[in-house]
């Protein structure tokens, strides 16, 4: 006696008869639901589940892989825009440059040196010691006017060339978020060392501290990858030589501070354990640097103000 065979239908489209099974869950699927797999076909649900389980590629520091160095482009644009703004309004440099502490006359004229000044009104303190903490970061986005200083237009040109060349490489090696943190902390590191070691009344501007931090990261990351170090070593030697030469006519304190902070953070990024602790170790290193810089700055400001720290 012949038995009538039971027709099989798609589990997603019960009205459609089919004879192909998903190679993963073995449910019947119609042609509309078939997704090509390495072996046979899979249903849409199994394809989605498989995609979730695939481990995404990461940078050497654990960041997300990207092909466009967006942060570098943004930082480059911010520096250029700030430079154009200060050309139109030169007073922006005086207001946002990195200054530790200086006296200002009622008419806004900065008073420097150890002489005696006669004033028709009370003097005020400006700079970081006057509570203008933002100067420690804003100064890193300003540069010398083309009509002033030793370098003039060459100041921003050199910094932007190095940022463009190295920033794009380091950002793709670290990931966008980690690179942004490294750049900003390097800038702060340069400002803090200026605050501690340089003349507090002397104004300074420039992205050099941040750029030196990026340069240090460039060296550390290539060494971590085991890359051919000939070219990298030559670059680092040139960077250190410039640090020494620049001591005669620029803020070497800012250069050195950025180099040290950028190098330290890059070491934490590159050599953190490659497991579930990596992000915590990297974040902890960044937080420790922030605390160190904040405490160092607060202690110096307390010395400049005679014991108080303005907020």
């Amino acid at each position: 006696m012949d038995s009538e065979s039971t027709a099989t239908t798609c589990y997603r489209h019960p009205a459609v008869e089919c004879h192909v099974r998903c190679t993963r869950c073995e449910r019947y699927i119609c042609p509309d639901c078939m997704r090509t797999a390495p072996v046979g076909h899979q249903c849409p649900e199994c394809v989605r589940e498989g995609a979730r389980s695939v481990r995404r590629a990461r940078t050497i520091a654990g960041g997300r892989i990207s092909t466009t160095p967006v942060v570098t482009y943004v930082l480059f644009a911010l520096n250029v825009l700030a430079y154009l703004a200060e050309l139109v309004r030169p007073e922006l440099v005086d207001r946002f440059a990195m200054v530790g502490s200086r006296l200002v006359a009622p008419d806004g004229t900065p008073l420097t040196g150890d002489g005696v000044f006669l004033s028709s009104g009370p003097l005020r303190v400006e700079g970081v010691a006057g509570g203008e903490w933002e100067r420690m970061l804003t100064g890193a986005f300003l540069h010398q006017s083309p009509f002033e200083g030793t370098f003039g237009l060459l100041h921003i040109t050199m910094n932007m060339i190095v940022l463009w060349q190295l920033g794009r490489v380091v950002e793709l090696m670290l990931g966008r978020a980690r690179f942004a943190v490294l750049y900003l902390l390097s800038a702060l590191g340069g400002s803090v060392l200026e605050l501690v070691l340089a003349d507090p009344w002397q104004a300074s501007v420039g992205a050099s501290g941040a750029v030196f931090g990026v340069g240090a990261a460039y060296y550390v990351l290539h060494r971590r990858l085991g890359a051919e170090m000939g070219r990298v070593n030559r670059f680092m030697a040139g960077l250190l030589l410039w640090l020494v030469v620049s001591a005669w006519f620029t803020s070497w304190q800012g250069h050195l501070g950025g180099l040290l902070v950028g190098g330290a953070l890059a070491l934490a990024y590159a050599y953190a354990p490659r497991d579930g602790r990596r992000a915590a170790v990297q974040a902890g290193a960044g937080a420790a640097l922030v605390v160190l810089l904040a405490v160092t700055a607060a202690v110096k400001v307390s010395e400049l103000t005679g014991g108080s720290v303005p907020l």
Side-chain angles (χ1 to χ4, degrees), residues 285-297:
L289 284 172
V290 170
V291 171
L292 176 62
L293 294 175
V295 170
T296 303

Side-chain angles (χ1 to χ4, degrees), residues 178-281:
R178 288 169 175 81
F179 176 72
V181 171
L182 182 136
Y183 185 94
L184 295 177
L185 281 185
S186 297
L188 288 175
S191 294
V192 169
L193 205 61
E194 285 182 26
L195 178 67
V196 173
L197 299 180
D199 292 328
W201 56 267
Q202 183 65 48
S204 64
V205 292
S208 300
V211 168
F212 267 77
V214 173
Y218 178 81
Y219 176 83
V220 169
L221 294 172
H222 278 81
R223 193 168 186 85
R224 174 67 178 84
L225 287 173
E228 199 285 315
M229 296 297 292
R231 180 180 178 183
V232 178
N233 286 335
R234 288 192 296 271
F235 160 76
M236 201 63 189
L239 197 66
L240 294 176
L241 178 62
W242 172 244
L243 177 62
V244 174
V245 172
S246 66
W248 276 271
F249 44 81
T250 65
S251 173
W252 64 269
Q253 299 92 339
H255 295 176
L256 181 60
L259 183 76
L260 294 176
V261 171
L265 190 56
L267 285 170
Y269 283 161
Y271 291 94
R274 300 174 66 87
D275 53 27
R277 298 173 297 164
R278 178 160 61 179
V281 169

Side-chain angles (χ1 to χ4, degrees), residues 21 44 136 138:
R21 294 185 184 216
M136 302 183 74
T138 56

Side-chain angles (χ1 to χ4, degrees), residues 20-24 29-51 54:
V20 176
R21 294 185 184 216
C22 171
T23 56
R24 189 167 182 175
I29 49 178
C30 67
D32 289 341
C33 297
M34 292 180 187
R35 303 292 184 268
T36 303
V39 178
H41 297 84
Q42 291 184 5
C43 66
E45 292 182 7
C46 288
V47 169
R48 285 194 294 270
E49 182 179 349
V54 174

Side-chain angles (χ1 to χ4, degrees), residues 132-214:
E132 297 170 345
W133 296 91
E134 70 278 0
R135 287 178 179 266
M136 302 183 74
L137 189 58
T138 56
F141 290 91
L142 301 173
H143 289 83
Q144 288 182 354
S145 165
F147 313 109
E148 298 178 2
T150 305
F151 295 108
L153 187 60
L154 192 61
H155 187 211
I156 186 173
T157 301
M158 292 177 62
N159 280 338
M160 292 304 98
I161 289 175
V162 178
L163 173 60
W164 185 267
Q165 295 296 331
L166 297 188
R168 293 181 298 166
V169 176
V170 174
E171 181 179 347
L172 297 183
M173 297 175 77
L174 288 179
R176 293 172 181 171
R178 288 169 175 81
F179 176 72
V181 171
L182 182 136
Y183 185 94
L184 295 177
L185 281 185
S186 297
L188 288 175
S191 294
V192 169
L193 205 61
E194 285 182 26
L195 178 67
V196 173
L197 299 180
D199 292 328
W201 56 267
Q202 183 65 48
S204 64
V205 292
S208 300
V211 168
F212 267 77
V214 173

